[in-house]
Amino acid sequence: MRDPRYDILFESVQIGPVRTRNRFYQVPHCNGMGHVHPSAMASMRGIKAQGGWGVVCTEECEISPHSEFSPYIEARLWDERDIPALARMCEAVHQHGSLAGVELAFNGYSAPNRYSREVPWAPSDTPVRGYDPVQARAMSLADIRQLRQMHRAAALRARSAGFDIVYVYAGHDLGLPFHFLTPRNNRRTDEYGGVLENRVRLLRELIEDTRDAVGDRCAVAVRLAVDEQIAAGLSHEGEGAEIFTMLADLPDLWDINVADWSNDSMTSRFASEGYQETFLSGLKALTSKPLVGVGRFTSPDTMVSLVRRGVLDLIGAARPSIADPFLPKKIEEGRMDEIRECIGCNVCVSGDHTSTPLRCTQNPTMGEEWRRGWHPESVSPARSSSRALVVGAGPAGLECARVLGARGMEVALVESSRTLGGRVALESKLPGLSSWSRVIDYRLDALSRMDRVQIYRQSPLEAQDVLDFAAAHVFIATGARWRRDGLGRALRQALPGLESLPILTPDDVMGGALAPSPVLLFDDDHYYMGSVLAERLVAQGVEVVFVTPAADVAAWTHNTLEQHRIQRRLLELDVTIIASHSLMTVTSDGVIASCVYTGRPRVIAVASLLLVTSREPEQALFRALDRPDEELREAGIQTLLPIGDCLAPGTIAAAVYGGHRQAREFDAPAGSLFMRREITCLEVM
Ligand code: ADP
Ligand code: SF4
């Protein structure tokens, strides 16, 4: 079954008083469920344990209203009443023989306390992070004593909930202990400020307090960012390593990463697998305690190499465990080709940023384990033995066919072009997006193992072809096309004067069309497409003027932790950025744009215009087939459903989810579908 090369990954590791069942460690990660949707969070974590993760941790867990993270939804252990929700998670994790870890967090000036209205604490007086008009106050020695008591009390509550590993959190430039470490945040002149020994004092005390409170039964872990990748920050070659050395053997486990979060959770557009190794290497030699670290690891060979070379003891993962909760089991059972590898897109992160349950491009069941009862590895057999036809092999069609096949149906997946993968096949050729082809790879590989699924390429279907196919269940996944008229969020009507200049769409550029230079790229999409096309065009020698109605480039990518990197890259490529401008009209001399605030017009002399605004669903086939139910039935069709971008253009994650959902639910008895939700119970007045 298992390749003996990977045996080392299944060795257990002693962490203080507890022992793991293997080296697979789901490090803390946010999920947009936390204390608001605790059963959903517990089920999601339980499935990770079932999938073989030897340790499964919470997200950040607030220890007190003195530092709460609203509107972001995290775990909570403010008082005894929060214990049952987290006990539910511990039970779900223990049920599969894994250890449960909790990341106790007190975030100082990183949390403006919007809900509790407590004045935030910091080592020194400072405005809070972000733009809230709030300042944190310098902590007194009494405050520090109170913080230590709160942390200790939360550790005891964590032990009562059933946790095996309790964290002291000094990561990401978020946790208060981290703020004490860094001179730019800590300007104190007492025993907690100044020389490094003093700045480390609070972290040392919290580790000692936690061990004293719960160390008999729980391991004490420290999450420390050893490098911030900024000039005035900690560096793994400087104080980051010194701090680690000073505390080397104090905790039971080191969880090492980099700050801030955007450096820790880099997308595949900006970093490849294993990108944190530089910051981790050498640390293990400085401690006798086990070390866990991350780097979007999905390759078992990389994992083995990290352990063998003495870089890590435990393979940390957040995103790879989200994309495939069963990654360890698949390695254990020699099913490596079934691993659903994370594509590094950070759509998962957007759940936290938008305070909504986690979602994942690769794993459409993520966040749906409890509320819809979806399992990442199993589906119920179909209720119908009739044939299914899926038209279009983009992410929606591929996923729909995969799930129908897994449900035991006979499926024909028909694609008009030679290439399978639809938009993903095209987009993964754009600069930095090659990992996205994993969306196709995973699904094609799964389909290749299904005898009852037939794939037909180069077969554009028309309505009569579909009827001739005589399939009872028809799923139309014909995708969408980028609009050529500028219509989108800013322009609700077609842009006047389009005939005056060469007009291109993203489909044209992805199809190989060259834009006459200079080109005005109008980005009213605000996600990745505008910026990756700008990169592609610059690489082709085209001068790009990037115009967007938003205040910054690719505004939605704040939610994927990429915005600053994208803007920096375009600036470095000498792309001219004109923000806060919409378009008014096109002339043969160029485009007239206008300021979104003042309306003041501005002529931009360009030779062509690339419109990245919105997409039109490709519904011609669906509309040609759509007719009243009785007529459909007469034609032998029981189900006719548009899915993915054909229904409504959106993210790749939404297309995969749409295909998955319809394949699971199309034959559900009326009234049997539901979405569970947890309702706050009323306190006694
Ligand atoms: P989604 O994201 O919803 O999966 P895509 O645009 O990625 O949508 O994929 C749609 C796929 O459908 C493309 O590969 C396209 O070539 C294919 N397609 C579109 N119309 C037809 C048709 N009439 N017959 C067969 N395949 C089609
Ligand atoms: Fe990976 Fe993207 Fe899924 Fe996040 S959403 S786990 S980055 S595939």
PDB file of all heavy atoms in Angstrom, residues 199-217:
ATOM      1  N   ARG A 199      12.728  42.721  25.962  1.00  0.00           N
ATOM      2  CA  ARG A 199      11.598  42.623  25.028  1.00  0.00           C
ATOM      3  C   ARG A 199      11.059  41.202  24.957  1.00  0.00           C
ATOM      4  O   ARG A 199       9.884  40.977  24.671  1.00  0.00           O
ATOM      5  CB  ARG A 199      12.040  43.109  23.630  1.00  0.00           C
ATOM      6  CG  ARG A 199      12.142  44.633  23.534  1.00  0.00           C
ATOM      7  CD  ARG A 199      12.559  45.071  22.152  1.00  0.00           C
ATOM      8  NE  ARG A 199      13.990  45.102  21.985  1.00  0.00           N
ATOM      9  CZ  ARG A 199      14.661  44.550  20.971  1.00  0.00           C
ATOM     10  NH1 ARG A 199      14.006  43.913  20.026  1.00  0.00           N
ATOM     11  NH2 ARG A 199      15.970  44.637  20.903  1.00  0.00           N
ATOM     12  N   VAL A 200      11.912  40.231  25.249  1.00  0.00           N
ATOM     13  CA  VAL A 200      11.503  38.830  25.215  1.00  0.00           C
ATOM     14  C   VAL A 200      10.767  38.431  26.501  1.00  0.00           C
ATOM     15  O   VAL A 200      10.079  37.419  26.544  1.00  0.00           O
ATOM     16  CB  VAL A 200      12.757  37.932  24.993  1.00  0.00           C
ATOM     17  CG1 VAL A 200      12.468  36.459  25.238  1.00  0.00           C
ATOM     18  CG2 VAL A 200      13.295  38.116  23.582  1.00  0.00           C
ATOM     19  N   ARG A 201      10.884  39.292  27.528  1.00  0.00           N
ATOM     20  CA  ARG A 201      10.392  38.913  28.862  1.00  0.00           C
ATOM     21  C   ARG A 201       8.929  38.466  28.855  1.00  0.00           C
ATOM     22  O   ARG A 201       8.567  37.433  29.418  1.00  0.00           O
ATOM     23  CB  ARG A 201      10.571  40.091  29.835  1.00  0.00           C
ATOM     24  CG  ARG A 201      10.340  39.722  31.303  1.00  0.00           C
ATOM     25  CD  ARG A 201      10.606  40.926  32.215  1.00  0.00           C
ATOM     26  NE  ARG A 201      11.910  41.550  31.978  1.00  0.00           N
ATOM     27  CZ  ARG A 201      13.062  41.110  32.474  1.00  0.00           C
ATOM     28  NH1 ARG A 201      13.066  40.043  33.249  1.00  0.00           N
ATOM     29  NH2 ARG A 201      14.192  41.731  32.204  1.00  0.00           N
ATOM     30  N   LEU A 202       8.062  39.211  28.197  1.00  0.00           N
ATOM     31  CA  LEU A 202       6.626  38.868  28.241  1.00  0.00           C
ATOM     32  C   LEU A 202       6.376  37.499  27.594  1.00  0.00           C
ATOM     33  O   LEU A 202       5.639  36.670  28.142  1.00  0.00           O
ATOM     34  CB  LEU A 202       5.789  39.944  27.540  1.00  0.00           C
ATOM     35  CG  LEU A 202       4.294  39.630  27.498  1.00  0.00           C
ATOM     36  CD1 LEU A 202       3.678  39.575  28.903  1.00  0.00           C
ATOM     37  CD2 LEU A 202       3.539  40.652  26.648  1.00  0.00           C
ATOM     38  N   LEU A 203       7.005  37.270  26.449  1.00  0.00           N
ATOM     39  CA  LEU A 203       6.814  35.974  25.781  1.00  0.00           C
ATOM     40  C   LEU A 203       7.304  34.844  26.692  1.00  0.00           C
ATOM     41  O   LEU A 203       6.626  33.835  26.875  1.00  0.00           O
ATOM     42  CB  LEU A 203       7.567  35.968  24.442  1.00  0.00           C
ATOM     43  CG  LEU A 203       7.506  34.671  23.630  1.00  0.00           C
ATOM     44  CD1 LEU A 203       6.066  34.235  23.355  1.00  0.00           C
ATOM     45  CD2 LEU A 203       8.276  34.834  22.309  1.00  0.00           C
ATOM     46  N   ARG A 204       8.458  35.049  27.302  1.00  0.00           N
ATOM     47  CA  ARG A 204       9.013  34.032  28.207  1.00  0.00           C
ATOM     48  C   ARG A 204       8.034  33.770  29.361  1.00  0.00           C
ATOM     49  O   ARG A 204       7.741  32.619  29.704  1.00  0.00           O
ATOM     50  CB  ARG A 204      10.355  34.528  28.756  1.00  0.00           C
ATOM     51  CG  ARG A 204      11.054  33.543  29.676  1.00  0.00           C
ATOM     52  CD  ARG A 204      12.220  34.215  30.391  1.00  0.00           C
ATOM     53  NE  ARG A 204      13.326  34.563  29.502  1.00  0.00           N
ATOM     54  CZ  ARG A 204      14.244  33.697  29.072  1.00  0.00           C
ATOM     55  NH1 ARG A 204      14.168  32.429  29.446  1.00  0.00           N
ATOM     56  NH2 ARG A 204      15.228  34.096  28.292  1.00  0.00           N
ATOM     57  N   GLU A 205       7.508  34.850  29.927  1.00  0.00           N
ATOM     58  CA  GLU A 205       6.598  34.682  31.074  1.00  0.00           C
ATOM     59  C   GLU A 205       5.321  33.947  30.664  1.00  0.00           C
ATOM     60  O   GLU A 205       4.818  33.098  31.403  1.00  0.00           O
ATOM     61  CB  GLU A 205       6.249  36.053  31.668  1.00  0.00           C
ATOM     62  CG  GLU A 205       7.402  36.670  32.439  1.00  0.00           C
ATOM     63  CD  GLU A 205       7.157  38.117  32.865  1.00  0.00           C
ATOM     64  OE1 GLU A 205       6.208  38.765  32.338  1.00  0.00           O
ATOM     65  OE2 GLU A 205       7.917  38.610  33.709  1.00  0.00           O
ATOM     66  N   LEU A 206       4.810  34.279  29.487  1.00  0.00           N
ATOM     67  CA  LEU A 206       3.572  33.613  29.042  1.00  0.00           C
ATOM     68  C   LEU A 206       3.808  32.125  28.805  1.00  0.00           C
ATOM     69  O   LEU A 206       2.956  31.293  29.108  1.00  0.00           O
ATOM     70  CB  LEU A 206       3.030  34.285  27.771  1.00  0.00           C
ATOM     71  CG  LEU A 206       2.468  35.697  27.960  1.00  0.00           C
ATOM     72  CD1 LEU A 206       2.118  36.332  26.611  1.00  0.00           C
ATOM     73  CD2 LEU A 206       1.242  35.695  28.861  1.00  0.00           C
ATOM     74  N   ILE A 207       4.979  31.787  28.279  1.00  0.00           N
ATOM     75  CA  ILE A 207       5.295  30.358  28.078  1.00  0.00           C
ATOM     76  C   ILE A 207       5.361  29.672  29.444  1.00  0.00           C
ATOM     77  O   ILE A 207       4.765  28.606  29.658  1.00  0.00           O
ATOM     78  CB  ILE A 207       6.634  30.176  27.321  1.00  0.00           C
ATOM     79  CG1 ILE A 207       6.586  30.846  25.950  1.00  0.00           C
ATOM     80  CG2 ILE A 207       6.964  28.690  27.178  1.00  0.00           C
ATOM     81  CD1 ILE A 207       7.942  30.947  25.243  1.00  0.00           C
ATOM     82  N   GLU A 208       6.060  30.319  30.380  1.00  0.00           N
ATOM     83  CA  GLU A 208       6.206  29.711  31.718  1.00  0.00           C
ATOM     84  C   GLU A 208       4.854  29.596  32.420  1.00  0.00           C
ATOM     85  O   GLU A 208       4.532  28.576  33.031  1.00  0.00           O
ATOM     86  CB  GLU A 208       7.188  30.539  32.565  1.00  0.00           C
ATOM     87  CG  GLU A 208       8.631  30.338  32.126  1.00  0.00           C
ATOM     88  CD  GLU A 208       9.603  31.385  32.717  1.00  0.00           C
ATOM     89  OE1 GLU A 208       9.133  32.385  33.320  1.00  0.00           O
ATOM     90  OE2 GLU A 208      10.808  31.194  32.546  1.00  0.00           O
ATOM     91  N   ASP A 209       4.038  30.653  32.301  1.00  0.00           N
ATOM     92  CA  ASP A 209       2.704  30.633  32.937  1.00  0.00           C
ATOM     93  C   ASP A 209       1.864  29.492  32.375  1.00  0.00           C
ATOM     94  O   ASP A 209       1.166  28.796  33.106  1.00  0.00           O
ATOM     95  CB  ASP A 209       1.944  31.944  32.642  1.00  0.00           C
ATOM     96  CG  ASP A 209       2.558  33.155  33.326  1.00  0.00           C
ATOM     97  OD1 ASP A 209       3.394  32.967  34.228  1.00  0.00           O
ATOM     98  OD2 ASP A 209       2.196  34.287  32.927  1.00  0.00           O
ATOM     99  N   THR A 210       1.910  29.336  31.046  1.00  0.00           N
ATOM    100  CA  THR A 210       1.066  28.332  30.395  1.00  0.00           C
ATOM    101  C   THR A 210       1.510  26.937  30.810  1.00  0.00           C
ATOM    102  O   THR A 210       0.696  26.073  31.139  1.00  0.00           O
ATOM    103  CB  THR A 210       1.126  28.494  28.862  1.00  0.00           C
ATOM    104  OG1 THR A 210       0.885  29.868  28.550  1.00  0.00           O
ATOM    105  CG2 THR A 210       0.094  27.630  28.159  1.00  0.00           C
ATOM    106  N   ARG A 211       2.819  26.748  30.836  1.00  0.00           N
ATOM    107  CA  ARG A 211       3.336  25.440  31.249  1.00  0.00           C
ATOM    108  C   ARG A 211       2.938  25.156  32.701  1.00  0.00           C
ATOM    109  O   ARG A 211       2.511  24.051  33.040  1.00  0.00           O
ATOM    110  CB  ARG A 211       4.850  25.431  31.130  1.00  0.00           C
ATOM    111  CG  ARG A 211       5.464  24.160  31.699  1.00  0.00           C
ATOM    112  CD  ARG A 211       6.933  24.220  31.555  1.00  0.00           C
ATOM    113  NE  ARG A 211       7.217  24.320  30.131  1.00  0.00           N
ATOM    114  CZ  ARG A 211       7.854  23.376  29.462  1.00  0.00           C
ATOM    115  NH1 ARG A 211       8.240  22.298  30.069  1.00  0.00           N
ATOM    116  NH2 ARG A 211       8.094  23.518  28.193  1.00  0.00           N
ATOM    117  N   ASP A 212       3.055  26.180  33.529  1.00  0.00           N
ATOM    118  CA  ASP A 212       2.723  26.015  34.943  1.00  0.00           C
ATOM    119  C   ASP A 212       1.236  25.663  35.110  1.00  0.00           C
ATOM    120  O   ASP A 212       0.865  24.824  35.924  1.00  0.00           O
ATOM    121  CB  ASP A 212       3.049  27.327  35.670  1.00  0.00           C
ATOM    122  CG  ASP A 212       2.810  27.213  37.156  1.00  0.00           C
ATOM    123  OD1 ASP A 212       3.386  26.297  37.766  1.00  0.00           O
ATOM    124  OD2 ASP A 212       2.004  28.020  37.683  1.00  0.00           O
ATOM    125  N   ALA A 213       0.393  26.287  34.262  1.00  0.00           N
ATOM    126  CA  ALA A 213      -1.063  26.085  34.405  1.00  0.00           C
ATOM    127  C   ALA A 213      -1.504  24.739  33.843  1.00  0.00           C
ATOM    128  O   ALA A 213      -2.285  24.027  34.474  1.00  0.00           O
ATOM    129  CB  ALA A 213      -1.809  27.218  33.690  1.00  0.00           C
ATOM    130  N   VAL A 214      -1.011  24.375  32.657  1.00  0.00           N
ATOM    131  CA  VAL A 214      -1.577  23.192  31.984  1.00  0.00           C
ATOM    132  C   VAL A 214      -0.528  22.195  31.511  1.00  0.00           C
ATOM    133  O   VAL A 214      -0.866  21.190  30.887  1.00  0.00           O
ATOM    134  CB  VAL A 214      -2.454  23.624  30.769  1.00  0.00           C
ATOM    135  CG1 VAL A 214      -3.591  24.510  31.197  1.00  0.00           C
ATOM    136  CG2 VAL A 214      -1.610  24.315  29.690  1.00  0.00           C
ATOM    137  N   GLY A 215       0.734  22.468  31.805  1.00  0.00           N
ATOM    138  CA  GLY A 215       1.833  21.668  31.249  1.00  0.00           C
ATOM    139  C   GLY A 215       1.828  20.216  31.684  1.00  0.00           C
ATOM    140  O   GLY A 215       2.490  19.388  31.057  1.00  0.00           O
ATOM    141  N   ASP A 216       1.096  19.899  32.753  1.00  0.00           N
ATOM    142  CA  ASP A 216       1.041  18.498  33.185  1.00  0.00           C
ATOM    143  C   ASP A 216       0.377  17.641  32.116  1.00  0.00           C
ATOM    144  O   ASP A 216       0.754  16.498  31.884  1.00  0.00           O
ATOM    145  CB  ASP A 216       0.268  18.377  34.503  1.00  0.00           C
ATOM    146  CG  ASP A 216      -1.129  18.976  34.391  1.00  0.00           C
ATOM    147  OD1 ASP A 216      -1.310  19.928  33.606  1.00  0.00           O
ATOM    148  OD2 ASP A 216      -2.061  18.477  35.060  1.00  0.00           O
ATOM    149  N   ARG A 217      -0.609  18.201  31.439  1.00  0.00           N
ATOM    150  CA  ARG A 217      -1.369  17.407  30.477  1.00  0.00           C
ATOM    151  C   ARG A 217      -1.259  17.917  29.045  1.00  0.00           C
ATOM    152  O   ARG A 217      -1.459  17.172  28.095  1.00  0.00           O
ATOM    153  CB  ARG A 217      -2.848  17.404  30.904  1.00  0.00           C
ATOM    154  CG  ARG A 217      -3.482  16.030  30.798  1.00  0.00           C
ATOM    155  CD  ARG A 217      -4.979  16.120  30.876  1.00  0.00           C
ATOM    156  NE  ARG A 217      -5.532  16.868  29.759  1.00  0.00           N
ATOM    157  CZ  ARG A 217      -6.676  17.543  29.814  1.00  0.00           C
ATOM    158  NH1 ARG A 217      -7.369  17.574  30.925  1.00  0.00           N
ATOM    159  NH2 ARG A 217      -7.121  18.195  28.761  1.00  0.00           N
TER     160      ARG A 217
END
